[in-house]
């Protein structure tokens, strides 16, 4: 008989575990949106304007490079100890952030927070698959998507309220009661049956050299990507040195993992067609997500002239439609399969992304809002079938590693996509400004944001030229995102098997 899932059993115990998972997921989902709105207050109090972006980049680095490590540890020692440790570390980082005395300390403590956040993201998604059989899994995944959607809409408002009427330190302190409740619920109600633990990977020697090599390689690569084109030019000595170092470390990772008894990044993650295809498709999704998440708010405020709250409403359509179609996707993949459902979703997403480039200039606010609504609906149909499908092809002892590899690839794709598409945007704006026969335009890219924030300080013709340049840059960004969606579609059609090899114990009756 197959082993019972963690926290199995009807009624209050499993409901308490699901509540704990949603609370811990909320901690991870809120961290970016709630902090972003308080940045002016943080910089005003601590200083460090030139490096404040590392409040987000440092956290992202820590989450990304720790994901595969936590995935392997959860397969080896169980989900509960990893989730307890990660939640406690996240809360410790939050407490330290709340007492930071300067920007350098706050960035360091955000990295501590991110090291805990890596455990939250991967382990919660793995436990969601442990808790529910395949036929019921969309329910828990839809709830998790709802948490992310609610955080995306409510996080900025909550962060603004705390920064305006309390103090920016409360954006970190508010994590403590939420996390403490989640810890208590996990400790009391999450029980991993002995049969599951017995089926887990034998507790051999922990692959600490591999973990450190993965951490170093990922950290150096993402540092190069985050800083390239910002702190120094892409073809400068620092960028080339960091990229070369990441390549050397990647070779080192491969050599260490091949010799390790229980590698953190096992080779079977890439040798199995299904997992490899899903990893590549999710990396492409990371690139796709850069366009709406990073550039639509700028487009809405700089080109359409909307205030920050109205710009948030333009984005909210995607966060609202995504969980709806994710919850309904089970009715699609049960009929046509995981691969075909995801292919339909990403094909629709490619068309929707390309339609953004056809908007008139200037567009009406409802037009990009409608595109965001349709994009969220398409991506909900794409992502959930892949996650549910790939988790159903592996047993308990491999599910943590598999889930972590999927999330790791999505995070890396987002980081690389932000760098690549950001470079496209900078080149487009620089080219438009260089060729413009309009006086009063900023001569440096660093001055463009200031001119957009205060258009009254530049001549009207120059302000209009700036808005046109940004609109063109965002069009190019969405064209690039559409190309990434097409690449994901090709991966699914050419690499992924037509039918995912779902394990017998995971199949529906």
């Amino acid at each position: 008989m197959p082993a019972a899932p963690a926290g199995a059993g009807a009624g209050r115990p499993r409901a308490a575990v699901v509540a704990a998972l949603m609370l811990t997921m909320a901690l991870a989902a809120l961290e970016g949106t709630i902090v972003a709105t308080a940045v002016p207050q943080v910089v005003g109090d601590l200083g460090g304007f030139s490096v404040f972006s590392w409040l987000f980049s440092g956290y992202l680095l820590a989450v990304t490079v720790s994901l595969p490590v936590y995935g392997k540890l959860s397969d080896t020692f169980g989900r509960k100890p990893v989730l307890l440790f990660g939640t406690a570390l996240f809360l410790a980082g939050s407490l330290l952030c709340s007492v930071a005395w300067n920007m350098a300390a706050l960035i360091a403590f955000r990295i501590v927070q991110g090291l805990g956040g890596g455990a939250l993201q991967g382990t919660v998604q793995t436990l969601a698959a442990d808790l529910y059989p395949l036929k019921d899994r969309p329910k828990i995944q839809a709830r998790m998507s709802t948490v992310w959607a609610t955080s995306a809409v409510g996080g900025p408002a909550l962060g603004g309220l705390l920064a305006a009427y309390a103090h920016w330190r409360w954006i970190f302190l508010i994590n403590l009661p939420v996390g403490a409740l989640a810890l208590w619920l996990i400790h009391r109600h999450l029980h991993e049956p002995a049969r599951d633990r017995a089926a887990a990977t034998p507790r051999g020697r922990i692959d600490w050299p591999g973990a450190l090599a993965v951490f170093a390689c990922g950290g150096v690569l993402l540092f190069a990507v985050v800083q390239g084109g910002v702190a120094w030019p892409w073809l400068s000595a620092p960028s080339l040195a960091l990229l070369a170092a990441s390549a050397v470390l990647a070779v080192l990772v491969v050599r260490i993992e091949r010799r390790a008894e229980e590698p953190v990044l096992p080779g079977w993650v890439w040798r199995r067609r299904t997992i490899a295809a899903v990893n590549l498709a999710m990396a492409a999704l990371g690139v796709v997500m850069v366009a709406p998440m990073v550039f639509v708010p700028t487009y809405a405020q700089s080109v359409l002239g909307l205030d920050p709250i109205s710009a948030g409403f333009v984005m909210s359509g995607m966060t609202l439609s995504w969980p709806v179609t994710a919850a309904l996707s089970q009715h699609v993949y049960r009929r046509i399969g995981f691969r075909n459902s995801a292919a339909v979703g990403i094909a629709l997403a490619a068309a929707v992304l390309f339609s953004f480039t056809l908007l008139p200039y200037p567009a009406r606010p409802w037009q990009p809002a409608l595109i965001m609504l349709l994009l969220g609906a398409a991506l909900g149909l794409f992502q959930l079938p892949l996650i549910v499908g790939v988790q159903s092809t592996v047993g308990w002892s491999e599910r943590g590693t598999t889930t972590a590899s999927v999330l790791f690839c999505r995070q890396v794709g987002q980081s690389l996509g932000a760098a690549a598409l950001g470079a496209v945007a900078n080149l487009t704006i620089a080219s438009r400004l260089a060729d413009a026969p309009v006086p009063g335009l900023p001569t440096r890219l660093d001055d463009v944001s200031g001119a957009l924030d205060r258009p009254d300080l530049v001549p009207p013709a120059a302000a209009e030229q700036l808005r046109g340049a940004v609109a063109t840059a965002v069009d190019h960004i969405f064209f690039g995102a559409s190309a990434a969606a097409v690449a994901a579609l090709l991966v699914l059609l050419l690499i992924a098997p037509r039918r995912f090899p779902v394990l017998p114990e995971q199949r529906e009756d």
Side-chain angles (χ1 to χ4, degrees):
M1 292 181 62
R12 294 178 61 186
R14 188 165 73 171
V17 174
V18 172
L21 296 186
M22 294 181 71
L23 287 173
T24 51
M25 184 62 79
L27 292 175
L30 277 171
E31 64 77 29
T33 56
I34 196 173
V35 172
T37 52
V39 164
Q41 289 77 15
V42 173
V43 173
D45 192 9
L46 301 180
F49 177 79
S50 62
V51 295
F52 83 87
S53 63
W54 273 96
L55 291 176
F56 308 97
S57 300
Y59 182 92
L60 176 64
L61 282 170
V63 169
T64 303
V65 299
S66 63
L67 270 168
V69 177
Y70 285 124
K72 183 60 181 179
L73 291 176
S74 75
D75 283 343
T76 304
F77 297 100
R79 326 295 189 212
K80 183 174 181 176
V82 171
L83 188 56
L84 288 173
F85 173 81
T87 305
L89 185 59
F90 184 92
L91 296 181
S94 299
L95 181 60
L96 290 170
C97 287
S98 72
V99 299
W101 51 91
N102 58 33
M103 184 61 74
L106 184 57
I107 291 171
F109 297 149
R110 282 282 287 170
I111 292 174
V112 174
Q113 211 183 15
L115 292 175
L120 299 187
Q121 290 195 28
T123 312
V124 167
Q125 290 283 3
T126 305
L127 270 169
D130 291 343
L131 276 170
Y132 285 89
L134 177 57
K135 65 179 180 180
D136 296 327
R137 206 164 290 162
K139 297 178 182 178
I140 183 66
Q141 292 289 357
R143 292 179 185 177
M144 297 301 167
S145 298
T146 302
V147 170
W148 281 98
T150 303
S151 300
V153 176
L158 179 59
L161 287 173
L162 291 174
Y165 297 104
H167 195 276
W168 64 262
R169 298 182 188 273
W170 279 98
I171 66 178
F172 300 107
L173 289 172
I174 199 173
N175 291 333
L176 300 183
V178 176
L181 177 58
L183 278 173
W184 181 79
L185 290 172
I186 294 165
H187 176 73
R188 182 176 179 85
H189 295 290
L190 178 58
H191 304 292
E192 297 183 277
R195 286 176 297 173
D196 274 357
R197 292 196 297 267
T201 303
R203 295 188 181 182
R205 183 179 179 182
I206 300 175
D207 181 26
W208 291 120
L212 292 174
V214 169
F215 196 91
C217 178
V220 171
L221 174 61
L222 293 181
F223 183 79
V225 168
V226 169
Q227 293 294 88
V230 179
W232 46 67
W234 279 109
L235 297 179
S236 64
S239 277
L240 295 177
L242 286 170
L243 292 173
S246 65
V248 172
L249 287 170
V251 174
L252 182 63
V253 168
V254 172
R255 295 192 63 177
I256 292 175
E257 296 301 82
R258 281 182 174 177
R259 297 177 180 179
E261 180 182 352
E262 294 295 338
V264 170
L265 282 178
W268 55 259
V269 168
W270 294 104
R271 287 195 295 268
R272 299 180 190 178
R273 283 180 58 196
T274 304
I275 302 175
V278 172
N279 283 344
L280 292 173
M282 293 298 282
L285 174 63
V287 178
V288 166
M289 290 304 299
V290 171
M293 293 179 64
V294 177
F295 291 97
V296 165
T298 299
Y299 173 85
Q301 295 181 62
S302 301
V303 178
L304 303 184
L306 302 179
D307 58 77
I309 295 177
S310 300
F313 279 114
V314 173
M315 276 290 298
S316 64
M318 184 179 74
T319 61
L320 294 175
S321 60
W322 190 316
V324 173
T325 53
L328 297 176
S329 65
Q330 59 177 314
H331 302 294
V332 180
Y333 67 65
R334 285 176 178 171
R335 289 179 176 272
I336 64 175
F338 294 115
R339 187 199 74 163
N340 291 341
S341 298
V344 170
I346 200 62
L348 292 174
V352 172
L353 289 163
F354 182 75
S355 70
F356 192 98
T357 67
L358 305 178
L359 290 179
Y361 174 79
R364 303 282 183 88
W366 66 266
Q367 293 172 320
L370 176 61
I371 287 177
M372 292 300 100
L373 184 72
L374 296 175
L375 181 61
L379 294 178
L381 185 61
F382 166 73
Q383 178 177 264
L384 187 62
L386 290 184
I387 292 178
V388 172
V390 77
Q391 288 179 331
S392 303
T393 65
V394 294
W396 191 99
S397 62
E398 296 177 339
R399 192 173 295 146
T401 299
T402 299
T403 304
S405 74
V406 170
L407 298 178
F408 175 78
C409 288
R410 186 181 68 185
Q411 293 277 66
V412 171
Q414 189 169 336
S415 299
L416 296 176
L421 296 180
V424 169
N426 288 340
L427 288 172
T428 301
I429 293 175
S431 175
R432 287 290 300 267
L433 296 184
D435 297 337
V438 178
L441 288 170
T443 57
R444 299 187 310 159
L445 281 174
D446 290 342
D447 299 330
V448 169
S449 60
L452 290 171
D453 290 338
R454 296 292 305 275
D456 55 306
L457 299 181
V458 298
E464 180 62 24
Q465 185 69 30
L466 276 175
R467 284 192 290 270
V470 172
T472 302
V474 175
D475 283 346
H476 292 174
I477 293 302
F478 270 80
F479 183 81
S482 178
V486 172
L489 176 62
L490 293 175
V491 166
L492 293 176
L493 295 179
L494 300 178
I495 299 178
R498 185 181 298 272
R499 296 182 61 86
F500 281 19
V502 176
L503 297 180
E505 62 267 23
Q506 295 283 328
R507 292 174 186 159
E508 303 178 36
D509 294 332

